[in-house]
């Protein structure tokens, strides 16, 4: 319970600022007044019924500061009604999770008194964001003062102002006290422990908490592999005879951990109330454009864009572009092999310590080039997917993920596949894998945590200069805090973090039988990743809006696809091992048929396993069924009651023909 | 609109009899009186609120007739409320399908006047069955008059009486006029046309209509294959060089038709209102037993049976039993090959016309033995699955289907796989396939249609003797009709029909490239199957209760699994063809690697295709989303209205601290 900062409303009452809206400094007065009125209007009148005030610049305010910064809050009633609107699930008195309703509020476990403290700040901010996003134009033809900024009934006002550039940003505020506590339990403590997932979820929302949960789970799941890998590395360095056992372990491991994660994630999501939450109807994404028409689902005016045109764009431009990029990546790979051969030649001619070192140079260069290509491609893919003009953010994301995954997979693993199956050179494979893994990890850590932190510090120093009077960090006035946070970088979502995990998962599941230390390296990387990610979330970035999520979405699929590829790859590696080959000394055909048969058996078992292991643990399944059953029963009772009212005596009306 | 037969209620009003309940003739009076009262009681008092009368024996009634036959009907109101209870979907005024509610009844398209004719007779019967099944014991400790027939609060009365054997059967009555019309348009017309699926659904319900729809679809889908197969058969009889093209066609065909069927079935189910219908909570199946406890979902008293015990039964008895049966089947197969070799030896020694004929004898005997083994195993599997004591009918069915499928697949196809891949004898494969296919089809038609029809005729003759006075079929009095129908065989569900289709699909998709006439034979079989199945449904069996179904359920999965096996088999057959082998004259290893690579590519494409093709056609998806969106909006409006009522002035309460 923190009374923290507060602003005075126009009525003189105070409210806690939750969300900041920043408009460009030259926004016309009438547009601002109109927007604020719409935000303050009652919901019955089509407003958002929120509290909003201009941020009064602090004592240190300079002329350069943007005056058009507004803080938004809401009354507790508004927030509670909003919780019902967005379909928040909360813990009921009996311990089950139920959709919150205002009428039923006192039956929820943590509801006390007026209900202050019932919703977490992240939830409040999510509700406010939902309210702002759903602020729709009524009969305004355009934003007042901007005749070119067309509106039509039903268009989201905030989205239009954002896409036209008057609205710079909308972001939720950090909570100093809470953040300090979270940082301490998360990454400042030295002692080894699990991450405080519930607290993370409380502060950053479910989507983020699931990412960190997955990161932690993945790291723990790697530990047995790392433990097995160490003796392999220590004792059998050049004797890769025994790697069949390791490959077999790999196979089972990557199937089982993904299945178990599904169950764990369902448990987490149930506890957080997102498992059975219904998805709201999705609005068109901000960048979507088209001819104004009528949406066949909602019946609302909305831009429409022909699906055929989009398909044309995808197949005539995006697909060829991706193929071209793949070809380019192949070309770079070939250059790498040339360099590799050249370095080997020099080393063979006159082997010294320096030429020995030179052997690693091509791999390192290649690893750096791969990272750069991935980065450039990432931007190209984003541009291209935007240009494909998908209506929904979710389809946009799916197409983007697909593009990026295919390229990154190819870019990172093509050379390894080539070495393993075309050159069949296990020593080179091991060396390349090690160099790729280590280099890309170092690069990633720099790009992800160090660079943003350094940029942040430079900015902070500037800010600090401006406010010499205020004590360090302690009691910043609201206006200063808002300005500090407004300048922080924006966190762009978990995409890149998951992508990194996906590639690491690939290195481990595909080839770790050749280089057993891979798992150890990945575990080390993940441990630092937890800390650097936690640090960047708490210190480097603006607070992101919490995103309700029931699972890791399309990434589950991506990881599962990788695990299927891993089965095939590991079987092929097993088939190529001298140990297995020695069983079929006379006939290579026999060997291949056995390996293929074994692989088919494994793939079949994998699919059966996926099918047999229930995705949701039984005790949660029971709770969900109970809820569903209760709502069904309630419906029946209501209908019987209704019947009682409408037909007081049914017996009187028996005297008619029943006709089929 | 047919006034048909009617019975007088105890009040003197008439009602149309819909469902028949038959109790054993020596049932005690008090049990009957109690049951009838419970059936007639109002729903508020825990009754079923149905109309029920004893069937007055006709003039021809003999002493041998069972007097305890009751006909059940219901008032139109009761049926309409029941339609709401069971969650029936009906066409709304705007053409969409919506859950029927009594309050909203006039907004449904076909609702006129009182609502007579709004529900089909099959729907009425389903509603009555639902009402009877949900008749639950209140505080009775046992069925009156039968102290051993224990009841507990919440136990379904009908199910208990059925499992204890006092209730012989509950079945819906046929509708003479409607049936005549249906029979005419279905199988009595000579002209070629599609089946009247909507009428079938109207009379027999969605489950049955989907079966016939699938049968028809499958037959149509086979026609291109049959057309391609004929020239293959005519011109390339011994030249199986070209079968790679056919195998390739097979591959694409079996994937595509299954995907398209999913979409077609979704369209059908949408039109019939079962696509978005919610599944009701499933009661324990009648045979389920256990220690009385509390169901964790419903909180009702219910027998419980430990899952661990069930798993033990499955893994310690069922699985070994299935494996034993598979071994037996393998043993029989080996005997068949011995016989085959023996016949060949005789033929080779002294080839005459008779020894040429002898060559076919082993295959024919084997085909008959396979059918007999399938039949015996079917009963064993049913017994075993019953003994596993599954709580739900659906899990029971799944376990039964799994057991039967594995065995039938093995039993029917093991010899073909052995011939194809171990003996690599394509001529024998073709011959075995032809004999198996033709013999099993002939046997099936006899077992399925001719035998029941013959039995039925024998029974009918007896019945006819008893009623010399009545005109032929025309105006049978109710009591006679009921007795006639009560004596008809009971239709045991679509299981065996789907199983037959599944095996035919297997023959065609797995091996038809070797014997292109297979598709032609299957098409011919399916055409007769349509007629014989239609005939048996209309003339041979009791009318079954209609079963709402949105898809063909577990069979879709079974057919998809078969199509995956077909990809693997066809790739292997392609790899074995001399044509393909000639491309790799020097190295068999190369050939195998290419085939395996191609197969993996095909499997991957298949899974991607399954993923990419949406299961529900777009226009139906839009309609479903619109419904969902509307219900969401309605909910929101209600909550805003509620809010208006509860908090007349929100502004008064602004003056408090917002605390996080």
């Amino acid at each position: 319970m923190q009374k923290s900062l507060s602003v005075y409303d126009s009525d003189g009452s105070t409210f806690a600022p939750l969300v900041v809206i920043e408009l460009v400094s030259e926004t016309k007065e009438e547009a601002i007044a109109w927007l604020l009125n719409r935000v303050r209007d009652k919901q019955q009148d089509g407003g958002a019924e929120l509290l909003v005030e201009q941020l009064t610049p602090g004592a240190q305010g300079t002329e350069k500061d943007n005056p058009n910064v507004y803080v938004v809050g809401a009354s507790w009633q508004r927030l509670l009604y909003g919780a019902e609107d967005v379909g928040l699930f909360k813990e009921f008195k009996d311990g089950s999770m139920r959709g919150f309703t205002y009428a039923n509020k006192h039956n929820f476990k943590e509801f006390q008194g007026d209900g202050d403290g019932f919703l977490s700040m992240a939830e409040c901010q999510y509700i406010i964001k939902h309210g702002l996003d759903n602020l729709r134009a009524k009969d305004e033809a355009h934003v007042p003062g901007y005749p070119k900024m067309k509106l039509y009934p039903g268009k989201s006002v905030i989205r239009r102002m954002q896409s036209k550039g008057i609205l710079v940003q909308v972001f939720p505020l950090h909570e100093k006290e809470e953040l300090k506590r979270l940082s301490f339990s998360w990454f400042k403590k030295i002692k080894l422990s699990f991450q405080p997932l519930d607290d993370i979820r409380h502060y950053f929302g479910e989507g983020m908490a699931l990412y960190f949960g997955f990161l932690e789970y993945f790291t723990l799941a790697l530990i047995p592999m790392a433990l097995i890998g160490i003796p392999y590395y220590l004792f059998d360095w050049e004797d890769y005879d025994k790697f069949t056992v390791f490959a077999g372990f790999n196979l089972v491991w990557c199937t089982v951990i993904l299945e178990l994660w599904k169950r764990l994630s369902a448990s987490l999501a149930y506890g957080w109330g997102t498992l059975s939450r219904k998805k709201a109807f999705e609005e068109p994404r901000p960048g979507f454009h088209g001819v104004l028409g009528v949406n066949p689902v909602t019946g609302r005016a909305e831009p429409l864009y022909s699906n055929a045109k989009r398909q044309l764009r995808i197949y005539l431009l995006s697909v060829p572009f991706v193929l071209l990029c793949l070809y380019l990546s192949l070309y770079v790979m070939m250059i790498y092999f040339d360099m590799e051969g050249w370095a080997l030649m020099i080393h063979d001619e006159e082997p010294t310590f320096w030429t020995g070192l030179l052997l690693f140079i091509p791999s390192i260069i290649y690893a750096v080039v791969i990272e750069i290509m991935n980065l450039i491609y990432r931007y190209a893919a984003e541009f291209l997917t935007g240009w494909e003009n998908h209506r929904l953010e979710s389809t946009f994301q799916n197409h983007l993920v697909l593009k990026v995954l295919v390229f990154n997979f190819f870019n990172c693993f093509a050379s390894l596949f080539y070495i393993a199956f075309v050159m069949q050179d296990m020593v080179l494979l091991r060396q390349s894998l090690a160099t790729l893994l280590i280099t890309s990890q170092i690069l990633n850590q720099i790009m992800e945590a160090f660079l943003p932190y350094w940029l942040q510090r430079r900015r902070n120093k500037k800010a600090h200069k401006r406010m010499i009077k205020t004590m360090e960090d302690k009691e910043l006035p609201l206006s200063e805090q808002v300005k500090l946070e407004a300048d922080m970088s924006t966190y762009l979502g978990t995409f890149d973090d998951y992508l990194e995990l996906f590639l690491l998962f690939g290195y481990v599941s595909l080839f770790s039988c050749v280089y057993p230390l891979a798992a150890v390296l990945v575990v080390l990387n993940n441990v630092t990743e937890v800390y650097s990610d936690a640090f960047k979330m708490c210190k480097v970035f603006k607070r992101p809006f919490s995103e309700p999520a029931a699972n890791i979405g399309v990434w589950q699929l991506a990881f599962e696809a990788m695990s299927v590829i891993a089965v095939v790859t590991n079987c092929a590696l097993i088939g190529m091992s001298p140990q297995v080959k020695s069983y079929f000394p006379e006939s290579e055909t026999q060997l291949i048929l056995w390996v293929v048969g074994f692989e088919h058996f494994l793939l079949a078992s994998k699919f059966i396993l996926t099918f047999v292991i229930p995705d949701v643990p039984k005790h949660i399944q029971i709770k969900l069924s109970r809820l569903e059953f209760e709502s069904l029963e309630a419906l029946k009772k209501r209908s019987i009651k209704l019947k009682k009212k409408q037909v007081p005596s049914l017996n009187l009306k028996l005297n008619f023909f029943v006709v089929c």
Side-chain angles (χ1 to χ4, degrees), chain A:
Chain A
M1 303 280 158
Q2 166 203 6
K3 290 196 180 151
S4 77
L5 305 153
S6 55
V7 226
Y8 283 88
D9 191 20
S10 42
D11 304 3
S13 55
T14 61
F15 69 91
L18 292 166
V19 171
V20 174
I21 299 179
E22 185 178 350
L23 300 169
V24 289
S25 54
E26 63 270 23
T27 315
K28 290 192 182 144
E29 284 298 324
E30 46 190 312
I32 297 179
W34 169 76
L35 179 66
L36 296 189
N37 272 333
R38 289 300 315 272
V39 171
R40 285 187 188 124
D41 269 356
K42 283 192 202 153
Q43 279 188 296
Q44 288 112 273
D45 307 333
E49 206 159 336
L50 298 172
L51 309 171
V52 59
E53 275 312 313
Q54 187 164 18
L55 192 71
T56 45
Q60 299 83 27
T62 62
E63 275 145 35
K64 261 176 64 193
D65 283 346
N66 179 1
N68 289 330
V69 177
Y70 298 84
V71 287
V72 185
S75 72
W76 267 110
Q77 256 102 336
R78 170 67 182 91
L79 289 172
L80 290 176
Y81 280 118
E84 186 175 342
D85 272 358
V86 301
L88 226 55
F89 270 62
K90 285 293 208 175
E91 195 174 358
F92 207 63
K93 269 191 179 151
D94 63 358
S96 66
M97 303 298 298
R98 284 167 196 240
F100 177 78
T101 55
Y102 191 86
N104 214 1
K105 59 183 183 287
H106 290 294
N107 288 326
F108 284 83
K109 206 170 185 181
E110 281 163 15
F111 198 94
Q112 282 159 341
D114 264 357
D116 37 359
F118 180 65
L119 300 171
S120 74
M121 185 159 162
E123 282 165 343
C124 296
Q125 289 166 335
Y126 178 73
I127 290 163
I128 287 183
K129 176 165 184 277
H130 180 83
L132 289 174
D133 279 347
N134 277 291
L135 200 60
R136 295 176 188 291
K138 289 190 290 193
D139 34 14
E140 302 95 338
H142 57 85
V143 176
Y146 294 91
K148 280 191 181 163
M149 231 170 269
K150 295 267 178 289
L151 288 173
Y152 48 85
K155 173 72 189 172
S156 163
V157 169
I158 294 286
R159 275 163 189 254
R160 171 50 43 106
M161 293 176 81
Q162 210 157 13
S163 68
K164 290 290 178 186
I166 350 180
L167 197 130
V168 182
Q169 56 181 354
V170 179
F171 66 92
L173 278 169
H174 269 300
E175 217 172 338
K176 282 268 157 187
E177 285 303 310
E178 194 71 24
L179 190 62
K180 233 179 232 169
R181 236 176 298 147
L182 178 65
S183 314
F184 181 76
S185 66
W186 199 0
F187 60 90
K188 286 194 175 158
K189 260 188 322 186
I190 307 296
K191 123 173 170 260
L192 207 72
S193 65
F194 291 112
Q195 295 172 81
L197 285 186
D198 284 327
D199 296 341
I200 299 171
R201 176 241 163 187
H202 198 260
Y203 195 85
F204 288 113
E206 291 82 15
M208 196 65 67
L210 274 175
Y211 164 69
F212 282 103
F214 183 68
L215 176 58
E216 181 171 292
Y217 173 81
F218 179 48
T219 312
L220 289 176
L222 275 173
I223 286 177
M225 209 172 205
L227 289 181
I228 299 177
I230 291 174
Y232 264 79
Y233 180 78
L234 292 180
F235 303 124
D236 304 317
W237 172 233
E238 281 303 319
D239 159 31
Y240 47 86
D241 244 27
K242 282 171 190 145
F243 77 8
T244 45
V245 181
F246 204 78
F249 177 76
N250 247 1
L251 286 179
V252 179
W253 174 80
C254 64
T255 304
V256 170
I257 61 153
L258 287 177
E259 278 306 303
L260 292 183
W261 164 252
K262 251 192 259 172
R263 290 166 67 88
L264 179 60
S265 120
S267 295
L268 288 175
Y270 177 79
W272 296 337
T274 49
L275 190 61
S276 41
R277 184 167 173 181
K278 268 195 189 158
K279 264 198 156 176
F281 179 77
E282 255 187 291
E283 298 281 323
R285 59 188 299 266
F288 179 67
H289 56 85
V291 183
L292 201 66
V294 173
N295 182 308
V297 173
T298 59
R300 280 188 201 144
E302 192 185 285
L304 297 180
Y305 186 77
S306 122
N307 201 31
K309 266 194 206 164
R310 185 178 305 127
Q311 297 292 333
L312 273 183
R313 287 185 173 192
I314 291 177
Y315 290 107
L316 292 187
L317 215 106
S318 294
V319 171
F321 174 79
V322 173
L323 292 178
L324 193 79
C325 287
L326 293 183
Y327 177 75
L328 205 77
S329 152
L330 212 65
Y331 195 78
V332 170
M333 185 182 95
M334 285 307 163
I335 295 177
Y336 155 65
F337 283 119
D338 284 351
M339 274 165 59
E340 191 77 51
W342 175 73
L344 209 68
M345 208 180 61
I346 291 184
H347 180 69
D348 282 352
E349 266 177 19
E350 197 180 333
T352 64
F353 171 74
W354 295 106
T355 56
L357 219 62
L358 187 67
L359 282 181
F360 283 92
I361 299 292
S363 294
I364 293 176
I365 295 179
Y366 184 52
V368 175
V369 170
I370 281 179
E371 288 294 318
I372 295 172
M373 281 170 71
N374 280 349
L375 211 69
I376 296 174
Y377 177 82
R378 175 90 166 70
Y379 286 107
E382 215 157 303
F383 173 78
L384 216 60
T385 316
W387 180 74
E388 285 167 14
N389 199 16
H390 294 280
R391 189 178 159 270
L392 298 181
E393 186 62 33
S394 58
T395 35
F396 173 85
Q397 285 294 337
N398 287 348
H399 278 256
L400 182 63
V401 167
L402 186 67
K403 276 197 197 68
V404 172
L405 275 193
V406 168
F407 182 77
N408 278 33
F409 181 82
F410 195 82
N411 206 12
C412 292
F413 297 116
S415 66
L416 297 177
F417 276 105
Y418 188 82
I419 296 172
F421 298 115
V422 181
M423 297 166 71
Q424 308 210 351
D425 182 345
M426 292 300 147
V427 180
L428 182 59
L429 179 60
R430 184 179 301 147
Q431 183 197 314
S432 294
L433 186 60
T435 328
L436 263 179
L437 202 54
I438 296 172
T439 319
S440 74
Q441 279 180 22
I442 293 174
L443 282 181
N444 257 319
Q445 298 283 1
I446 293 176
M447 294 288 294
E448 240 186 75
F450 181 73
L451 204 72
Y453 179 64
W454 179 73
L455 288 174
Q456 176 63 20
R457 277 195 62 132
R458 270 190 45 193
R459 254 173 308 195
N460 273 13
K461 263 187 197 155
K462 271 194 219 159
H464 268 279
K465 269 184 204 159
R466 290 193 309 187
M467 41 172 192
I468 320 155
K469 283 176 251 172
T470 39
M471 297 291 280
E472 273 189 300
D473 259 24
K474 253 185 180 170
E475 262 300 323
L476 274 180
L478 179 64
S479 62
E480 285 305 319
Q481 199 204 325
V482 169
K483 265 166 204 160
L484 253 173
E485 290 190 21
D487 283 342
M488 285 167 118
S489 316
T490 305
Y491 180 65
L492 293 172
T494 47
F495 187 104
D496 289 295
D497 296 317
Y498 276 118
L499 183 62
E500 200 190 329
L501 284 188
F502 174 77
L503 294 176
L504 290 177
F505 180 71
Y507 286 121
V508 173
S509 60
L510 295 178
F511 295 110
S512 72
C513 60
V514 185
Y515 181 56
L517 218 56
V520 181
L521 286 179
V522 173
V523 168
L524 287 180
N525 175 72
N526 280 3
V527 172
T528 56
E529 182 86 24
V530 167
Y531 285 94
S532 69
D533 280 355
F535 179 77
K536 80 179 184 198
M537 288 315 304
C538 293
K539 298 279 169 182
V540 178
F541 287 118
K542 270 187 206 106
R543 184 179 193 165
F545 277 109
S546 80
E547 207 48 64
N551 49 52
I552 60 174
V554 65
W555 292 101
Q556 179 79 36
L557 207 70
F559 276 82
E560 272 166 22
M562 180 68 98
S563 83
V564 172
I565 298 173
V567 169
V568 180
T569 311
N570 278 294
C571 280
L573 286 174
I574 289 176
M576 279 163 51
S577 78
Q579 196 187 20
V580 171
K581 269 185 181 159
S582 67
Y583 281 111
F584 301 90
E586 72 293 343
S587 154
E588 209 178 4
T589 311
Q590 278 295 316
L591 164 70
I592 296 178
L593 286 180
W594 271 102
V595 170
V596 169
F598 180 61
E599 185 231 358
H600 277 72
F601 168 74
L602 282 176
L603 283 179
S605 324
K606 197 171 151 56
F607 282 103
I608 293 172
L609 213 66
T610 314
F611 198 76
V612 168
I613 300 178
D615 289 356
V616 176
K618 185 134 197 207
H619 66 280
I620 291 178
Q621 196 55 62
I622 287 178
K623 282 182 188 164
L624 293 178
S625 316
R626 185 163 57 206
L627 262 194
E628 203 173 324
F629 177 77
E630 276 172 17
S631 77
L632 231 88
E633 287 294 293
L635 218 72
K636 254 186 220 163
K637 262 184 208 147
R638 211 188 57 188
S639 101
I640 288 182
K641 245 191 217 162
L642 259 169
K643 187 172 161 186
K644 230 173 168 176
K645 242 198 249 167
Q646 292 186 347
V647 191
S649 154
L650 201 68
N651 284 351
L652 289 176
K653 289 201 73 179
L654 268 180
N655 200 356
F656 56 86
F657 280 101
V658 183
V659 183
C660 290

